[in-house]
Amino acid sequence: MPRHKLIASESDGKDNEFSIYYVEVEENFEGGKEKQATRDGKRRRVRNSEVGRRASEKRTTEAGNKKAEKKHDKRHKTARKEGEKHGRKQRRKNADAEEAEEESGKEKKNIKNERTKTLKLEDEKEKDVKKKRKKHVKNEEDDAKPEKTKHKDCHDMPLKEKKKKKKIKKPETISESESKSEPESQSDSDSESKDNPAVGVLGSLTPEELEKLKEAVDERKKLIATLRGKPWPMRKKLVVLRESQEFVEKYEGALGKGKGRKLYAYKVMMMKKWMKFQRDFENFKTACIPWEMKIKEIESHFGSSVASYFIFLRWMYGINMILFGLTFGLVMVPEALMGKPYGSLPRKTVPRGEEASAMNFAVLWDFGGYAKYSVLFYGYYNSQRAIGWLKFRMPLSYFLVGVGTVAYSYMVVIRTMARNANEEGGGDDTSFNFSWKTFTSWDYLIGNPETADNKFASITTSFKETIVEEQESRKDDNIHLTRFLRVLANFLVLCCLAGSGYLIYFVVRRSQKFALEGLEKYGWWERNEVNMVMSLLGMFCPMLFDVISTLENYHPRIALQWQLGRIFALFLGNLYTFIIALMDAIQLKRAEEEIVKKNMTIWQANLYNGTMPDNSTAPPFTAHPADVPRGPCWETMVGQEFVRLIISDTMTTYITLLIGDFFRAVLVRFLNNCWCWDLEFGFPSYSEFDVSGNVLGLIFNQGMIWMGAFYAPCLPALNLLRLHVSMYLQCWAVMCCNVPQERVFKASGSNNFYMAMLLVILFLSTLPAIYTIVTIPPSFDCGPFSGKNRMFDVIQETLETDFPAWFGKVFSYASNPGLVLPFLLLLVLAIYYLQSTSKTYKRVNMELKKKLQTQNEENKKKNKLAALKAANELEQQRSNSASDLGVNEESSSLDEAGHHRQAGQNGRFIHPSQSQHTQNSGPPVTSTHTTTRTPASRGHTSSGHLPGHPHQPQKNSHSKRR
Amino acid sequence: MVSPAIALALLPLLITLIIRYRYFFVLLYRAVLIRWVRDCLSGLSREERAFQYILTHATPGDSQSILDTFDQWCSKVEFISNIGPKKGKILDRLLQEHCPITVLELGTHCGYSTVRIARSLPIGARIYSVEMDERNAAVAEKIIRLAGFDEDMVEQIVRPSDEVIPRLREDFGVERLDFVFMDHWKRCYLPDLRLLEDSGLLGEGSIILADNVIFPGAPNFLRHARRCGLYEVRVHRATLEYIRGIRDGMAELTFLGVK
């Protein structure tokens, strides 16, 4: 049930059908109590009423569940007959309006009575009566109160009391109908048992009655639709909703005319079924979203900020899926299936010197050996223009995929940013600081008491902080000290950044030295030094920044931004130092390549024993491809570096997760019983989930993927694997060994911040990749672009050979600077235009907002004035009416009016129909004024009347006329 | 071998740890290292040194002066885990609010808290102060006498607390404890609380005040107090005595009576 309830409350007011449906479900659960209660009350009253036979009959119905079905049918029938009887009576007395209304009131009672009976039957099927007994007693007492008043004012009952009234009248009418119908019902028991009882009753109604019923149904529908916004307690809302729901359900199907009636009922039924199906389908769709339930669970435990990380992770996963699809489907698979097999070319063969160790795990783990000479890296690909029977243009495809992945990433990131920007809407959120905090700070998705406590604490602390902030904004004490401390903190952070940058540069240079001397001489530590250092710095420097930032004494939100900025700078610095060092390495490799090229000719000359080497690229068959000397292939080297970096980064992340979170949690949990201080709340405690650090890690990881994907097509695949594993691992780790954060920040606001960072990283990571592609010539003997001067020459080649001549011509014309420059100018102009228009829109939006605000304020003032005026008038009237005291009804009605105005004075606009309900919610009004007329009588036309309900309004007007 | 670069990369971690837990290092230095050095140099125990200092610096008979001197010694010279001035204010307030007649103190140590309790008690009230260590008890007695409280007011019991509590009724004729102050071994908090419950000395409205429930901490004690339903628990948050940066708290348990 709670689930249904949740969904019902989530759905908007406009689709009240959903709520209808779900309340229906709910009713079986909770409504049972109410029904039971009414039944019990009924039972008691019936017992009190005169005829013992009926009472005994009642008891037997309750006792015998088996008989219930039969009796149900009987009652339907008898009630129908009753209705007909009444109808006849009514036709007879058509002239007298008042009497007819009284009659229709009875009619109504009968209808009601049937309803209660069916309810009762449902109830009797319920076995767990004992649990609810307490509540019954209470409800009986509740019912008993109005019962007293009932006898006094049968006619002057306020409209709002209608329902209660009905309840009270029910039992009597039941007994009436039973007493009348029993002899008949025994004779014919099971004819028309399946007929809709309501239809039966309605069949005998006059068109006016039908009209009224229709009105009532519409009114109920309206009530259901607007119920959500009513200022009632939840319990009352539920009761009213249920009643209206039942009512509508009962009579809606019967309202159609003649033949259409059944069709209409059928339509309504189908509508409900369809709605149920839609709801189920929605649930199904949610179940289909990957990890949705997991994320929801985390959200309920840790709040939306942690969940936002996982949503971001999932989004990243989606993007990587597409990148992987592109590289895997268009580059790796075609090469593996249609390209030349392993061992056919020098570039596809492990060199003779490495063969011995090529299959060692240590080598493979470093992506050397067989892993290096496979589709995973750039160097393996052949420069053959078309491969396989499909004539797949491999080099072109390689190039286009490289460009396409980056272009796609740009597109997606920018599109998401634009979409997020739409949600922001603009406007200044700082002006109503305390109101915002009061009304919007609760996270309604929290479902865990501990998190709720934390949230509560954080809200209170944020309140305290805001108050202190407000106070401090007025006085500025010792601003020089804080300024000094902030400068000092930034200085320290800069030192830290510089130090880490230098360390990385140093390490990379050292690793090049190692590489030149041959890695075999060195151990594991030396070989993995770069990655280790980078990971360690990336892990521990943020902690240091966090400690340093306590010096600055910023507001947590600002401190968080600084922290994010610093970590960003650190990661970026590290990455760029790495790249710069890599550039150096590329230069070295290229120098080496030149030497190899020269040696190559000598080698070939030696091989041919004096014959001049011809310029054919095909290697001589006499030499095995493994023996052919080859260049160092800097592209593969770059790819390898990136892959290693990703692997070590992933490993460090997982290991820190295991040690820092899991083992810490285990230690804290199990050592706590035998430790001399409190581990859980004291020093080590459990770790919190570091959203900002994790998000930044993810973003930089993605940056590395974008940077290295061109030289190592396997990178998206690796990243996909990593993200997949980390999704599960982090979900598990968060749920099992983290505690909710004490410091909270809005998830929705920071979302676009992350996106902006991603965009910056994307740009910064494509820069070096593009630089290397454009400026450095590819290696002469490896990769799809070998033998070309530049990598992008492949486009030109394709244009020349694969397209007709005119296309090349057109392209050359199009790429003419004379055409390109105006086009660029046009683009810039268009962008400028769009930007300025969007700015204008934003401003207009803001103005509109302001206008609305001022209008609202004016309205408030107006209302206040009107209320004051009304109050004054009331005073005058009262003084007038005090003079003629004769009619006490008059004064009481004025009282009611006064109540109205008082309600209006609160500054909210009260619709007549709504005001009735607000009055209904106030028990003193209804209970104390036993002899009052209802104020709602004025609005009865708008609120609509049930057919046959005693129409007091006429009487009231009558009495007024008197 | 681990290269120097990797060791350098671990430097930020080290600095972070040092900065973040600096108060704990200070505590370690003051409570352990200095004590050890002084013990070796002087041959006296820490408590005796404290007594000597008080004897030379405080005014006899003036409890406030003695407490001030104690605080001064603990914050300037050496470290003894007394209740300290800040948490002492909470203690004073509680005592003034409830005016207990019979007070049980578990863990006299140097008598700082005994003096503190005794001076805010009404006339005719009595403190039973339990201390296990005889040397400490001797020092505490001297200090209590120096502060001007006699044996009628402060009854010292030199025995382990778990032996004393079940025999309080027989040996000392205690019928009901209005106030219990716990500041002995943190491990003994829970067993002693159980003993108190069993002894039937706690009446409705009796207050149990336990120091250092967050640092060094007595999690089991707190858990029991919260779960058993016999007490109304309040934790007064403060910092550790004489050291600012370490958070600590005192648990105030109000006995609701056995239902």
Side-chain angles (χ1 to χ4, degrees):
Chain A
M1 202 286 294
R3 170 103 186 115
H4 291 315
K5 209 171 176 182
L6 188 81
I7 290 167
S9 64
E10 266 174 8
S11 61
D12 299 334
K14 59 185 175 186
D15 51 354
N16 54 65
E17 288 90 357
F18 286 134
S19 63
I20 290 171
Y21 169 62
Y22 274 95
V23 165
E24 199 182 345
V25 173
E26 194 175 87
E27 168 192 281
N28 294 333
F29 187 85
E30 213 172 53
K33 291 177 193 171
E34 292 288 329
K35 288 177 223 153
Q36 196 84 27
T38 52
R39 187 185 57 159
D40 269 32
K42 229 185 297 169
R43 191 203 306 166
R44 199 169 53 82
R45 267 173 250 123
V46 166
R47 239 178 258 141
N48 290 346
S49 66
E50 65 286 279
V51 194
R53 183 173 57 94
R54 283 172 229 150
S56 66
E57 214 259 13
K58 264 261 176 252
R59 267 177 229 124
T60 49
T61 21
E62 271 162 29
N65 277 342
K66 291 170 196 169
K67 285 182 185 174
E69 208 62 51
K70 229 181 179 179
K71 243 158 219 168
H72 182 52
D73 291 346
K74 275 184 219 162
R75 274 174 206 161
H76 278 236
K77 257 197 66 87
T78 51
R80 202 178 60 85
K81 283 185 178 167
E82 268 286 294
E84 278 171 3
K85 224 183 261 174
H86 278 290
R88 259 175 270 137
K89 261 190 223 166
Q90 212 174 324
R91 254 167 263 138
R92 248 183 283 138
K93 295 176 183 177
N94 235 356
D96 194 341
E98 271 185 37
E99 284 230 301
E101 260 147 23
E102 292 240 351
E103 280 308 310
S104 55
K106 268 184 194 170
E107 190 79 48
K108 175 69 203 141
K109 278 173 227 156
N110 283 340
I111 292 158
K112 270 290 187 190
N113 137 33
E114 269 177 27
R115 202 180 100 212
T116 49
K117 268 183 231 158
T118 48
L119 290 183
K120 205 168 72 183
L121 281 166
E122 275 169 33
D123 269 14
E124 275 162 4
K125 280 164 201 162
E126 282 186 23
K127 300 291 177 191
D128 51 346
V129 183
K130 280 172 194 169
K131 282 182 194 169
K132 294 160 187 169
R133 194 154 285 165
K134 268 192 182 176
K135 193 155 184 189
H136 304 166
V137 176
K138 207 178 151 194
N139 272 42
E140 271 176 18
E141 283 166 11
D142 285 352
D143 279 3
K145 272 180 212 162
E147 202 176 3
K148 285 173 203 163
T149 62
K150 175 192 74 181
H151 299 294
K152 293 177 197 166
D153 55 347
C154 274
H155 297 285
D156 292 348
M157 182 60 87
L159 196 68
K160 297 133 280 164
E161 275 191 17
K162 217 160 51 183
K163 278 153 214 160
K164 270 188 185 174
K165 185 83 182 169
K166 267 182 246 153
K167 269 187 203 165
I168 296 151
K169 280 188 177 173
K170 266 176 243 157
E172 287 177 7
T173 46
I174 286 171
S175 50
E176 261 178 38
S177 64
E178 268 172 19
S179 62
K180 281 177 190 168
S181 63
E182 241 159 70
E184 300 168 359
S185 64
Q186 250 134 46
S187 61
D188 49 6
S189 56
D190 48 0
S191 64
E192 294 183 17
S193 60
K194 279 185 182 178
D195 198 356
N196 191 351
V199 175
V201 172
L202 284 161
S204 59
L205 285 180
T206 57
E208 296 134 51
E209 292 295 331
L210 267 176
E211 200 58 36
K212 265 170 194 159
L213 189 60
K214 214 174 238 174
E215 248 175 42
V217 167
D218 283 347
E219 147 83 0
R220 295 302 182 110
K221 272 184 179 170
K222 217 165 71 187
L223 182 68
I224 291 167
T226 56
L227 191 71
R228 225 178 286 275
K230 302 248 151 116
W232 299 342
M234 201 63 209
R235 208 185 317 137
K236 194 191 157 192
K237 272 187 194 177
L238 281 177
V239 169
V240 170
L241 185 65
R242 202 154 41 234
E243 281 182 359
S244 327
Q245 173 53 38
E246 274 164 13
F247 185 83
V248 170
E249 202 182 324
K250 189 95 184 158
Y251 296 110
E252 203 178 32
L255 269 180
K257 271 176 195 166
K259 267 188 180 178
R261 186 183 296 154
K262 261 183 184 167
L263 191 69
Y264 186 70
Y266 183 70
K267 235 166 82 185
V268 167
M269 201 182 73
M270 282 316 286
M271 188 74 125
K272 259 172 206 159
K273 286 256 165 72
W274 170 242
M275 242 125 51
K276 182 176 157 32
F277 172 74
Q278 268 180 328
R279 172 61 65 183
D280 286 347
F281 190 67
E282 286 286 316
N283 285 347
F284 175 70
K285 272 203 295 198
T286 344
C288 281
I289 300 171
W291 303 302
E292 182 72 3
M293 291 316 288
K294 258 188 175 155
I295 291 173
K296 287 276 175 239
E297 199 183 342
I298 287 171
E299 190 163 16
S300 79
H301 278 77
F302 292 86
S304 53
S305 65
V306 174
S308 77
Y309 165 72
F310 284 98
I311 290 167
F312 188 64
L313 182 61
R314 188 174 62 187
W315 185 80
M316 224 47 153
Y317 186 83
I319 286 184
N320 274 289
M321 195 81 120
I322 298 212
L323 298 190
F324 168 73
L326 281 175
T327 50
F328 193 74
L330 292 177
V331 174
M332 286 165 86
V333 169
E335 177 68 24
L337 289 182
M338 300 186 285
K340 284 188 176 165
Y342 172 82
S344 56
L345 285 174
R347 69 183 67 174
K348 296 194 177 193
T349 322
V350 178
R352 192 65 77 193
E354 293 172 23
E355 250 175 15
S357 64
M359 211 48 204
N360 290 359
F361 179 73
V363 174
L364 284 181
W365 184 249
D366 280 342
F367 285 86
Y370 283 107
K372 187 178 168 188
Y373 299 97
S374 68
V375 278
L376 302 182
F377 291 103
Y378 172 93
Y380 182 82
Y381 293 83
N382 195 6
S383 59
Q384 197 182 352
R385 219 170 59 80
I387 54 170
W389 53 273
L390 275 176
K391 299 276 175 229
F392 190 77
R393 306 290 195 265
M394 194 59 219
L396 181 71
S397 159
Y398 196 99
F399 187 79
L400 286 184
V401 163
V403 174
T405 48
V406 171
Y408 170 76
S409 310
Y410 267 112
M411 205 182 69
V412 166
V413 171
I414 286 175
R415 210 179 52 193
T416 316
M417 273 184 81
R419 204 186 299 141
N420 283 357
N422 278 346
E423 282 167 16
E424 274 171 20
D428 46 344
D429 289 356
T430 50
S431 48
F432 305 106
N433 208 348
F434 286 98
S435 307
W436 280 120
K437 278 203 161 41
T438 316
F439 296 113
T440 62
S441 46
W442 189 253
D443 192 342
Y444 283 94
L445 296 173
I446 289 172
N448 186 28
E450 195 187 342
T451 320
D453 284 350
N454 270 6
K455 187 72 194 177
F456 177 76
S458 83
I459 289 169
T460 39
T461 43
S462 80
F463 255 108
K464 281 178 201 162
E465 274 167 7
T466 330
I467 292 166
V468 169
E469 223 176 305
E470 283 285 319
Q471 282 169 349
E472 268 182 6
S473 64
R474 276 159 206 165
K475 55 161 189 176
D476 40 356
D477 56 335
N478 214 350
I479 194 146
H480 295 297
L481 180 68
T482 39
R483 262 184 202 158
F484 169 72
L485 282 177
R486 282 171 190 182
V487 169
L488 181 73
N490 280 319
F491 176 71
L492 287 177
V493 167
L494 277 181
C495 284
C496 204
L497 287 177
S500 74
Y502 180 72
L503 195 62
I504 288 173
Y505 188 75
F506 172 77
V507 167
V508 174
R509 293 302 292 270
R510 221 163 81 107
S511 78
Q512 283 158 16
K513 198 185 78 191
F514 291 154
L516 281 180
E517 289 172 12
L519 276 173
E520 295 75 33
K521 287 184 219 160
Y522 299 95
W524 188 84
W525 288 106
E526 273 82 10
R527 264 184 283 139
N528 292 289
E529 209 175 41
V530 181
N531 308 325
M532 286 285 290
V533 166
M534 277 188 75
S535 308
L536 286 177
L537 284 176
M539 205 155 60
F540 297 132
C541 279
M543 286 161 73
L544 189 59
F545 294 161
D546 201 24
V547 166
I548 289 172
S549 70
T550 51
L551 271 182
E552 296 176 307
N553 198 21
Y554 275 127
H555 182 271
R557 198 167 350 115
I558 301 166
L560 186 82
Q561 280 168 5
W562 275 96
Q563 174 78 356
L564 277 174
R566 279 165 189 165
I567 300 174
F568 192 80
L570 173 82
F571 282 7
L572 202 64
N574 291 356
L575 205 60
Y576 260 72
T577 330
F578 178 75
I579 287 162
I580 288 165
L582 219 57
M583 288 292 186
D584 286 356
I586 290 172
Q587 296 306 326
L588 284 177
K589 290 269 173 185
R590 290 200 53 228
E592 202 185 321
E593 199 181 294
E594 289 300 313
I595 299 165
V596 170
K597 250 187 192 171
K598 274 177 196 159
N599 286 349
M600 191 83 167
T601 44
I602 298 166
W603 177 79
Q604 276 178 340
N606 286 344
L607 199 73
Y608 284 101
N609 259 343
T611 46
M612 287 300 288
D614 57 349
N615 285 337
S616 65
T617 48
F621 55 90
T622 45
H624 191 268
D627 298 324
V628 177
R630 60 189 74 180
C633 197
W634 60 267
E635 291 98 336
T636 302
M637 189 265 299
V638 171
Q640 254 178 323
E641 287 294 327
F642 274 108
V643 170
R644 276 182 210 150
L645 200 64
I646 293 286
I647 293 283
S648 77
D649 191 48
T650 314
M651 288 335 264
T652 10
T653 318
Y654 292 164
I655 287 168
T656 37
L657 198 75
L658 273 185
I659 293 175
D661 285 357
F662 182 64
F663 284 114
R664 182 168 158 190
V666 167
L667 280 182
V668 166
R669 181 76 186 77
F670 292 106
L671 273 186
N672 200 24
N673 293 324
C674 50
W675 200 256
C676 58
W677 69 71
D678 195 345
L679 292 171
E680 282 184 345
F681 293 99
F683 155 45
S685 119
Y686 296 107
S687 51
E688 282 176 3
F689 188 78
D690 176 20
V691 179
S692 53
N694 273 306
V695 167
L696 278 176
L698 204 63
I699 287 173
F700 273 86
N701 180 52
Q702 195 58 41
M704 283 189 253
I705 300 297
W706 280 323
M707 237 186 263
F710 191 75
Y711 299 115
C714 64
L715 267 180
L718 279 178
N719 197 36
L720 202 67
L721 202 67
R722 174 211 162 115
L723 291 180
H724 198 90
V725 173
S726 72
M727 188 72 179
Y728 282 103
L729 200 65
Q730 282 189 313
C731 274
W732 164 78
V734 158
M735 289 304 281
C736 100
C737 39
N738 281 7
V739 286
Q741 273 178 322
E742 276 177 43
R743 191 170 62 180
V744 283
F745 63 95
K746 240 175 17 185
S748 54
S750 51
N751 224 347
N752 230 7
F753 189 58
Y754 294 150
M755 281 295 162
M757 261 196 236
L758 197 65
L759 189 66
V760 171
I761 283 297
L762 179 55
F763 179 70
L764 290 175
S765 60
T766 45
L767 266 189
I770 289 174
Y771 176 78
T772 50
I773 288 170
V774 171
T775 57
I776 304 175
S779 305
F780 75 99
D781 65 342
C782 68
F785 312 115
S786 59
K788 292 192 179 62
N789 196 23
R790 291 280 184 270
M791 287 177 192
F792 55 82
D793 283 349
V794 72
I795 301 275
Q796 217 167 354
E797 189 195 75
T798 312
L799 280 177
E800 279 165 11
T801 53
D802 287 343
F803 285 93
W806 61 267
F807 193 85
K809 237 177 213 171
V810 168
F811 192 78
S812 66
Y813 283 137
S815 59
N816 188 12
L819 268 176
V820 168
L821 279 180
F823 182 69
L824 279 181
L825 205 67
L826 199 70
L827 262 183
V828 168
L829 283 176
I831 287 171
Y832 178 74
Y833 169 74
L834 286 176
Q835 208 230 352
S836 54
T837 44
S838 80
K839 245 183 198 166
T840 324
Y841 284 143
K842 213 170 201 173
R843 212 180 50 228
V844 170
N845 253 350
M846 288 298 301
E847 270 169 16
L848 202 64
K849 226 177 189 176
K850 262 182 201 162
K851 221 181 246 175
L852 275 176
Q853 262 176 17
T854 47
Q855 212 171 15
N856 200 20
E857 269 165 29
E858 258 174 36
N859 272 349
K860 255 187 212 168
K861 272 181 199 164
K862 251 185 216 165
N863 281 351
K864 242 180 210 172
L865 271 179
L868 267 176
K869 223 177 177 179
N872 284 339
E873 273 176 20
L874 186 72
E875 280 297 308
Q876 281 179 358
Q877 273 191 352
R878 208 169 253 172
S879 55
N880 288 344
S881 64
S883 55
D884 45 64
L885 261 165
V887 199
N888 66 349
E889 278 182 8
E890 198 70 35
S891 67
S892 57
S893 77
L894 275 173
D895 253 11
E896 290 286 321
H899 190 85
H900 255 288
R901 268 151 215 171
Q902 270 163 13
Q905 252 172 351
N906 291 343
R908 61 203 150 114
F909 176 71
I910 292 183
H911 191 266
S913 67
Q914 202 174 329
S915 68
Q916 295 161 13
H917 300 297
T918 47
Q919 282 197 359
N920 197 10
S921 65
V925 179
T926 49
S927 60
T928 53
H929 297 270
T930 47
T931 55
T932 43
R933 254 186 282 116
T934 158
S937 58
R938 275 172 252 137
H940 78 277
T941 43
S942 70
S943 63
H945 251 275
L946 297 175
H949 192 79
H951 273 211
Q952 290 97 8
Q954 266 89 345
K955 279 201 169 178
N956 288 340
S957 54
H958 213 67
S959 62
K960 248 180 197 167
R961 261 178 260 134
R962 254 189 303 170
Chain B
M1 228 3 257
V2 179
S3 69
I6 293 175
L8 269 178
L10 286 171
L11 197 65
L13 176 69
L14 193 70
I15 298 171
T16 312
L17 288 180
I18 288 175
I19 294 176
R20 185 168 290 171
Y21 301 116
R22 57 191 182 279
Y23 295 113
F24 291 93
F25 291 111
V26 170
L27 181 67
L28 182 78
Y29 167 73
R30 288 188 55 200
V32 179
L33 292 181
I34 289 193
R35 178 187 180 182
W36 181 69
V37 169
R38 296 265 176 118
D39 277 0
C40 288
L41 289 179
S42 65
L44 296 170
S45 76
R46 186 169 54 153
E47 289 77 15
E48 283 161 346
R49 288 199 297 276
F51 175 66
Q52 278 186 351
Y53 184 87
I54 286 159
L55 206 58
T56 50
H57 288 78
T59 322
D62 182 1
S63 54
Q64 184 60 47
S65 154
I66 286 174
L67 293 181
D68 286 345
T69 320
F70 234 124
D71 290 338
Q72 207 182 342
W73 188 78
C74 289
S75 49
K76 297 274 157 56
V77 187
E78 276 185 60
F79 181 84
I80 281 186
S81 61
N82 289 320
I83 186 171
K86 277 184 187 157
K87 282 192 282 183
K89 284 215 173 84
I90 299 172
L91 177 65
D92 290 349
R93 188 168 55 77
L94 280 176
L95 287 169
Q96 273 153 20
E97 274 171 17
H98 296 280
C99 285
I101 301 299
T102 320
V103 178
L104 175 69
E105 190 196 8
L106 301 172
T108 318
H109 204 58
C110 297
Y112 178 92
S113 47
T114 319
V115 171
R116 196 144 203 145
I117 295 169
R119 68 173 187 155
S120 37
L121 282 185
I123 299 164
R126 199 169 160 80
I127 305 174
Y128 297 92
S129 191
V130 180
E131 172 62 50
M132 204 172 85
D133 190 78
E134 281 183 27
R135 284 175 82 181
N136 285 354
V139 172
E141 192 180 359
K142 284 182 213 163
I143 286 177
I144 291 162
R145 297 290 171 270
L146 197 68
F149 299 110
D150 56 2
E151 282 175 357
D152 292 338
M153 186 114 186
V154 182
E155 168 97 40
Q156 276 200 295
I157 307 165
V158 190
R159 254 194 286 169
S161 57
D162 52 341
E163 288 178 21
V164 174
I165 294 168
R167 303 193 56 80
L168 269 177
R169 203 185 288 267
E170 293 103 73
D171 292 3
F172 301 98
V174 180
E175 284 306 315
R176 178 199 146 102
L177 291 170
D178 300 314
F179 195 94
V180 179
F181 180 66
M182 289 184 170
D183 194 9
H184 53 313
W185 285 109
K186 314 307 164 203
R187 292 274 199 88
C188 300
Y189 279 14
L190 182 59
D192 286 351
L193 186 70
R194 289 232 168 93
L195 283 175
L196 281 171
E197 285 167 14
D198 296 338
S199 68
L201 290 167
L202 295 176
E204 198 180 331
S206 293
I207 287 177
I208 298 162
L209 189 67
D211 191 19
N212 302 112
V213 287
I214 291 177
F215 182 86
N220 293 331
F221 170 78
L222 277 184
R223 203 174 301 141
H224 172 75
R226 286 206 173 103
R227 291 220 179 125
C228 71
L230 292 171
Y231 309 97
E232 190 192 318
V233 183
R234 266 186 80 191
V235 176
H236 300 274
R237 298 201 174 258
T239 56
L240 193 69
E241 51 273 2
Y242 312 123
I243 287 182
R244 268 185 309 115
I246 302 176
R247 279 187 299 172
D248 189 18
M250 295 207 297
E252 178 198 340
L253 278 60
T254 313
F255 194 70
L256 297 172
V258 185
K259 283 155 207 159

